């Protein structure tokens, strides 16, 4: 543990957090960060991190959308205690709680028809009054309703005083109770409202700390009113500011991709994404590079900033470059292989995978992401004679091909195929031709890799080996 935190008592096993995404097709960047904060808080305290899929909107909650969220969480390395809870499966329990409140006198039946409620709202609008249910059935007896009339169940909220949330991020935030109307718990068709479902599920899952986006702060007042009506334990709230775009505006598509999966597909490493999202709204001094283990050690809600953070894809790319350069070679081989195989349209052989491993120190130093890494490795696996890209082809004019001939002859005589020896030989030719090394390196690169950008030319010679290198050079010379 970090020494700074060593004297802080750890709450053991008491902490239970949850991430409660509504499946909308992908794991949103903001959702991913909320998930991480919940996960980190629970792991830091040795508690439980739970997952609840809020799939009550059946039209949107497809299995595909649920899978996309689960995959996104898995990619970020977030694991959850217990099986995920599916909110839609708990409707009977939600209804049961609404009826309990009815029985205890903390809720009542409201027989107001939709037309009546519309008229009520229109009148409020006309009178420029806040639009909220006016409590017309709060004190009426059900016997006053027509026989068999449908009804909703509404919670009886406090009318006087105020409700204050001691939010761990926002500080104390209050709302007058008069501003919270008697909202619906169970609709006349018997279906639970979102407000009821969240409160019941959080309670039944034993959630102690609610960490979520501050777009839910308004809901929190109603949820707390309901919790108090039920006499249940109140959770600790932490509403985190939303993520904005790099121009400070609300994050939207024009700022770039919103789903975590899109960044995975751009070749961002999971560790880099984790580190980037972590520092988006949470900080630990000036520490820039934070591993998962350090994050677990250090995570505390008082490190969460109060103002919205800005998502900057450039910074993410740069951070990713750092993670690429420092990643374990074998791990990168595993991660890059599927990309390479897709590019080549075939699988890599065992020997090719080994070669990729040998090339990795050189490749990873130049690549900002896995896509770049895969692309820069392709020259290793191309078959002779190479198909040159347009720029490489243009570079190989008759003069360049003549130079290649001298290089080929000199390298053929070379016995020690080492970085130093190949470099020395090539330099000697450059000197006798009175040319800069670059003038030789470019045509060599074109012939050896088929393109005009690659790792250092002597690294290329060593990685390809003498036979393959000479063969590739010869292929281009013969074309003249
Ligand atoms: N399902 C809600 C959402 O995805 C979260 C609800 C909550 O955290 O209380 O925005």
């Amino acid at each position: 543990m970090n020494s700074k935190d060593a004297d802080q008592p750890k709450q053991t096993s008491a902490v239970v957090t949850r991430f409660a995404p509504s499946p909308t097709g992908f794991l949103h960047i903001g959702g991913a960060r909320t998930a991480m904060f919940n996960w980190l808080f629970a792991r830091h305290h040795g508690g439980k991190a739970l997952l609840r899929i809020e799939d009550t909107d059946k039209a949107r909650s497809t299995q595909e959308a649920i899978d996309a969220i689960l995959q996104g969480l898995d990619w970020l390395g977030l694991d959850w205690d217990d099986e995920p809870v599916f909110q839609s499966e708990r409707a009977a329990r939600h209804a049961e709680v609404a009826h309990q409140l009815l029985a205890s006198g903390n809720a009542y039946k409201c027989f107001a028809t939709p037309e009546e409620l519309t008229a009520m709202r229109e009148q409020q609008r006309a009178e420029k009054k806040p639009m909220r249910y006016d409590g017309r059935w709060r004190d009426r007896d059900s016997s006053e309703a027509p026989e068999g009339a449908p009804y909703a169940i509404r919670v009886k909220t406090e009318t006087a005083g105020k409700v204050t949330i001691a939010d761990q991020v926002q500080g104390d935030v209050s709302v007058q109770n008069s501003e919270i109307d008697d909202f619906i718990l169970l609709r006349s068709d018997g279906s639970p409202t979102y407000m009821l479902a969240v409160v019941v599920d959080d309670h039944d899952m034993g959630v102690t700390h609610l960490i979520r986006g501050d777009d839910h702060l308004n809901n929190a007042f109603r949820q707390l009113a309901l919790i108090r009506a039920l006499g249940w334990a109140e959770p600790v709230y932490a509403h985190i500011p939303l993520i904005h775009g790099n121009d400070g505006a609300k994050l939207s598509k024009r700022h770039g991709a919103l789903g975590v999966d899109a960044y995975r597909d751009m070749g961002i490493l999971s560790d880099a994404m984790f580190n980037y999202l972590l520092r988006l709204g949470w900080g630990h001094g000036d520490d820039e590079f934070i591993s998962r283990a350090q994050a677990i050690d250090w995570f505390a809600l008082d490190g969460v900033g109060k103002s919205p953070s800005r998502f900057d894809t450039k910074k993410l790319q740069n951070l990713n470059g750092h993670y690429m350069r420092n990643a374990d070679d074998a791990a990168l081989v595993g991660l890059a292989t599927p990309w390479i195989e897709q590019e080549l349209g075939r699988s890599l052989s065992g020997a090719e995978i080994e070669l990729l491993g040998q090339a990795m120190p050189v490749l990873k130093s130049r690549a900002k992401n896995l896509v770049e890494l895969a692309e820069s490795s392709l020259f290793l696996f191309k078959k002779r004679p190479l198909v040159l890209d347009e720029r490489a082809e243009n570079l190989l004019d008759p003069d360049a091909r003549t130079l290649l001939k001298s290089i080929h002859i000199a390298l053929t005589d070379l016995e020690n195929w080492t970085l130093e020896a190949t470099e020395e030989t090539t330099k000697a030719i450059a000197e006798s031709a009175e040319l800069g090394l670059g003038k030789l390196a470019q045509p060599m690169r074109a012939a050896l890799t088929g393109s005009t950008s690659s790792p250092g030319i002597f690294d290329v010679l060593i990685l390809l080996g003498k036979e393959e290198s000479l063969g590739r050079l010869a292929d281009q010379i013969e074309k003249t």
Side-chain angles (χ1 to χ4, degrees):
M1 204 190 350
N2 181 274
S3 59
K4 223 167 66 182
D5 299 335
D7 49 5
Q8 283 178 12
K10 281 212 169 184
Q11 286 165 266
T12 44
S13 70
V15 166
V16 179
T17 64
R18 52 54 160 192
F19 175 51
S22 309
T24 52
F26 55 70
L27 178 60
H28 192 279
I29 296 164
R33 190 191 54 165
T34 301
M36 281 171 50
F37 285 8
N38 277 288
W39 183 85
L40 286 169
F41 189 77
R43 294 287 173 265
H44 176 83
H45 290 286
K48 272 187 179 186
L50 304 179
L51 182 62
R52 179 171 73 236
I53 306 290
E54 303 212 313
D55 57 344
T56 47
D57 179 349
K58 278 293 163 199
R60 296 174 85 185
S61 309
T62 58
Q63 189 55 45
E64 227 180 342
I66 294 169
D67 288 346
I69 291 192
L70 296 178
Q71 279 162 16
L73 294 171
D74 189 51
W75 178 66
L76 278 172
L78 305 178
D79 57 346
W80 306 91
D81 303 296
D82 303 348
E83 287 302 306
V85 170
F86 289 88
Q87 192 160 59
S88 65
E89 290 171 6
R90 298 181 34 84
R93 167 67 180 148
H94 303 148
E96 181 187 80
V97 172
H99 284 281
Q100 255 173 37
L101 280 168
L102 196 57
S104 67
N106 289 305
Y108 59 92
K109 294 179 182 174
C110 168
F111 293 90
T113 61
E115 297 75 32
E116 218 182 299
L117 292 173
T118 308
M120 175 191 80
R121 273 186 227 111
E122 269 165 19
Q123 194 180 343
Q124 287 169 342
R125 196 197 325 256
E127 292 171 8
K128 297 204 165 30
K129 284 187 181 158
M131 287 195 280
R132 52 177 83 108
Y133 177 69
D134 59 5
R136 59 186 60 200
W137 278 93
R138 186 175 165 113
D139 299 312
R140 274 171 83 181
D141 196 88
S142 295
S143 61
E144 291 178 41
E147 185 78 23
Y151 61 87
I153 296 182
R154 289 182 182 270
V155 64
K156 205 181 261 183
T157 56
E158 296 284 340
T159 49
K162 60 178 182 178
V163 54
T164 301
I165 291 176
D167 194 277
Q168 299 292 294
V169 175
Q170 312 281 336
D172 282 357
V173 259
S174 305
V175 150
Q176 295 299 321
N177 275 321
S178 57
E179 285 178 37
I180 301 173
D181 64 1
D182 289 345
F183 55 91
I184 295 180
L185 303 176
L186 213 57
R187 299 185 191 92
S188 59
D189 65 1
S191 65
T193 57
Y194 170 68
M195 219 55 86
L196 173 67
V198 168
V199 166
V200 174
D201 291 348
D202 284 341
H203 170 263
D204 289 1
M205 290 163 77
V207 176
T208 58
H209 290 72
L210 257 131
I211 306 169
R212 60 187 176 189
D214 66 9
D215 50 336
H216 286 285
L217 184 58
N218 273 334
N219 288 340
F221 294 107
R222 293 174 162 236
Q223 289 166 5
L224 193 55
L226 183 53
I227 290 168
R228 289 182 178 166
L230 283 158
W232 285 348
E234 297 176 15
V236 174
Y237 290 98
H239 287 93
I240 54 182
L242 299 184
I243 299 174
H244 285 185
N246 55 0
D247 54 0
K250 195 169 177 270
L251 195 63
S252 74
K253 267 196 192 148
R254 75 190 161 82
H255 293 111
L258 299 178
V260 160
D261 53 333
Y263 293 92
R264 180 194 59 204
D265 295 348
M266 285 174 211
I268 299 290
L269 296 175
S270 154
D271 289 350
M273 193 73 190
F274 189 98
N275 192 151
Y276 185 70
L277 288 177
L278 173 66
R279 293 198 60 241
L280 218 50
W282 180 82
H284 182 265
D286 289 333
D287 289 316
E288 214 174 318
F289 309 115
I290 304 176
S291 69
R292 283 186 180 74
Q294 286 169 322
I296 292 173
D297 253 6
W298 296 340
F299 190 79
L301 291 172
D302 59 14
V304 179
K306 269 192 177 189
S307 45
S309 43
R310 295 182 179 205
F311 189 81
D312 186 333
T313 23
K314 254 213 181 90
K315 283 192 183 154
L316 171 61
Q317 287 282 358
N318 288 339
L319 186 66
N320 200 55
H322 167 88
Y323 273 90
M324 295 282 301
R325 290 189 292 281
N326 290 285
D328 173 65
D329 291 345
L332 284 179
V333 168
L335 288 169
T337 298
W339 298 81
I340 298 169
E341 293 184 333
Q342 200 184 334
E343 278 293 318
L344 293 174
R346 64 174 176 88
S347 335
L348 291 181
S349 68
E352 285 175 318
I353 290 180
E354 209 170 295
L355 176 60
L356 181 61
Q358 285 161 16
M360 200 48 83
V362 166
L363 298 177
K364 74 180 182 185
S365 66
R366 313 171 69 242
K368 275 218 174 81
N369 54 56
L370 288 172
V371 176
E372 281 184 22
L373 182 76
E375 266 167 19
S376 72
S377 76
L378 292 179
F379 77 92
L380 293 168
F381 313 116
K382 287 184 182 165
K383 300 279 181 241
R384 289 181 49 206
L386 261 54
V387 180
L388 271 54
D389 70 23
E390 207 184 314
R391 289 168 68 181
E393 193 67 59
N394 290 340
L395 218 129
L396 289 186
D397 57 16
D399 284 354
R401 290 185 200 263
T402 310
L403 269 177
L404 286 185
K405 207 177 263 176
S406 341
I407 296 165
H408 186 270
I409 293 167
L411 289 178
T412 305
D413 290 342
L414 201 61
E415 271 175 27
N416 278 339
W417 197 256
T418 62
L419 265 179
E420 297 74 24
T422 52
E423 183 168 353
E424 217 171 279
T425 307
T426 314
K427 270 190 178 156
I429 296 173
E431 269 163 35
S432 64
E434 295 184 358
L435 289 169
L437 192 57
K439 274 273 179 275
L440 269 72
Q442 274 309 77
M444 284 173 80
R445 174 168 288 119
L448 292 167
T449 71
S451 87
T452 49
S453 94
S454 79
I457 202 63
F458 307 111
D459 285 319
V460 169
L461 285 172
I462 300 308
L463 287 167
L464 289 174
K466 185 171 180 180
E467 195 188 331
E468 179 72 18
S469 298
L470 291 176
R472 290 188 185 192
L473 290 172
D475 290 342
Q476 300 311 319
I477 297 163
E478 277 156 22
K479 272 198 203 164
T480 46

